[in-house]
């Protein structure tokens, strides 16, 4: 007695076609969101705030503390 174990796996054309249809279906119906990184704008300090920053530095405050207080990057301070 001989049993054919290959069955429907012998001809994969139908399976490939089904997979191709699935790929097309999922690629057109799924919206892919692209994350955009917004460029940061530099924060401009007024003349008065700049004077306060300088006075704070001259009185011994460290740059990290001043940058937090004025809302700017420590390298900017």
């Amino acid at each position: 007695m001989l049993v054919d174990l290959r069955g429907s796996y012998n001809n994969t054309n139908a399976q490939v076609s089904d997979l191709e249809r699935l790929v097309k279906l999922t690629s057109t119906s799924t919206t892919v969101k692209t994350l955009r990184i917004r460029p940061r704008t530099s924060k401009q300090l007024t003349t008065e705030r700049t004077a306060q920053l300088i006075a704070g530095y001259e009185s011994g405050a460290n740059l990290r503390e001043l940058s937090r207080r004025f809302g700017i990057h420590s390298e900017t301070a």
Side-chain angles (χ1 to χ4, degrees):
M1 181 166 140
L2 195 60
V3 178
D4 184 15
L5 297 177
R6 294 176 291 173
S8 64
Y9 297 108
N10 190 24
N11 186 356
T12 58
N13 288 337
Q15 293 170 338
V16 170
S17 297
D18 290 342
L19 284 173
E20 287 174 341
R21 272 185 265 135
L22 278 173
V23 168
K24 284 181 183 178
L25 180 66
T26 57
S27 65
T28 57
S29 65
T30 305
T31 304
V32 177
K33 289 186 177 182
T34 304
L35 295 177
R36 291 186 179 179
I37 299 173
R38 296 179 130 194
R40 294 184 180 189
T41 56
S42 60
K43 185 171 187 176
Q44 301 294 318
L45 295 179
T46 62
T47 306
E48 181 181 327
R49 297 284 284 172
T50 304
Q52 292 172 357
L53 176 73
I54 294 169
Y57 182 74
E58 289 176 341
S59 68
N62 67 25
L63 291 177
R64 196 170 281 175
E65 177 187 320
L66 289 169
S67 65
R68 280 192 220 117
R69 187 185 317 163
F70 290 95
I72 57 176
H73 194 273
S74 59
E75 290 183 15
T76 305

